[in-house]
């Protein structure tokens, strides 16, 4: 396994729609998923999408609620209900910053695993947020593009300092 170089905001690979994975069982996809999982863990991320490691394909990995890592290839997300919530997000491609983004609270996801089996599941709360964030990467969208209120955007250190002063 190997650590991959993470693309940072400004790199065109982050703005381009990614292409479907033709063969989820291909050895290079298995290797990519393993390397992405290692890269995500090394960077203490909650999720990582292939375009973030300069691979313009539709797949992402995320940290599951139980502390494991899952991968979804050619994912589709389907929102369950109308409920949304505002929550803080960061991105390994936008280091040091965070911002508040409105996301659906619950969703169903579909896709394939690295054995080519169909995957279906449900997610809520933080995991649902991470999946929406990662799916956006596959469409060339970064979380600031989803933001409604830029007063809720800043450097982690400054936001932490401001929160301490308030409290
Ligand atoms: Ni991100």
């Amino acid at each position: 396994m190997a650590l991959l170089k993470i693309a940072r905001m400004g790199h065109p690979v982050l703005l381009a729609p990614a292409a479907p994975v033709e063969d989820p069982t291909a050895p290079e996809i298995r290797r990519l998923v393993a390397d992405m999982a290692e890269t995500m863990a090394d960077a203490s991320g909650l999720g990582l999408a292939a375009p973030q490691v300069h691979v313009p394909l539709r797949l992402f990995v995320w940290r599951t609620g139980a502390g494991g890592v899952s991968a979804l290839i050619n994912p589709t997300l389907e929102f369950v209900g109308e409920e949304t919530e505002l929550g803080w997000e960061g991105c390994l491609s936008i280091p040091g910053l965070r911002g508040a983004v409105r996301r659906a609270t619950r969703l169903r996801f579909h896709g394939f695993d690295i054995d080519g089996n169909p995957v279906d599941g449900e997610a809520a709360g933080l995991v649902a947020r991470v999946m929406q964030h990662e799916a956006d990467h596959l469409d060339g969208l970064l979380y600031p593009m989803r933001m409604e209120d830029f007063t809720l955007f800043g450097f982690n250190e400054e936001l932490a300092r401001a929160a301490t002063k308030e409290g």
Side-chain angles (χ1 to χ4, degrees):
M1 295 206 289
L3 291 180
L4 303 170
K5 187 166 164 40
I6 297 175
R8 294 197 297 176
M9 187 167 64
H11 194 295
V13 74
L14 295 172
L15 299 177
V21 175
E22 285 188 15
D23 179 7
T25 67
E28 59 267 29
I29 296 298
R30 184 175 292 267
R31 192 176 323 121
L32 174 63
V33 165
D35 289 346
M36 283 173 61
E38 190 181 1
T39 302
M40 176 178 72
D42 178 71
S44 301
L46 296 179
L48 187 65
Q52 291 184 274
V53 292
H54 305 87
V55 178
L57 291 175
R58 302 190 76 82
L59 73 91
F60 61 74
V61 298
W62 75 98
R63 218 176 276 209
T64 63
V69 176
S70 279
L72 197 59
I73 298 167
N74 296 337
T76 56
L77 305 184
E78 184 186 331
F79 299 148
V80 177
E82 303 287 308
E83 195 185 334
T84 62
E85 58 191 2
L86 197 61
W88 291 100
E89 294 185 17
C91 181
L92 295 176
S93 295
I94 314 174
L97 290 159
R98 65 177 185 239
V101 186
R102 184 162 295 285
R103 300 284 190 186
T105 308
R106 302 187 64 84
L107 57 78
R108 290 194 60 78
F109 57 89
H110 313 277
F112 295 89
D113 66 17
I114 54 172
D115 296 316
N117 299 313
V119 175
D120 289 281
E122 285 200 19
L126 180 61
V127 175
R129 172 175 298 279
V130 169
M131 295 185 84
Q132 289 168 80
H133 176 118
E134 301 313 327
D136 270 355
H137 276 301
L138 309 183
D139 293 327
L141 292 172
L142 299 169
Y143 78 80
M145 300 173 184
R146 293 278 192 197
M147 289 185 60
E148 299 158 357
D149 180 354
F150 283 97
T151 68
L152 300 175
F153 188 40
F155 288 94
N156 289 323
E157 280 173 25
E158 299 295 347
L159 292 166
R161 191 174 303 159
T164 306
K165 273 186 188 156
E166 275 168 24

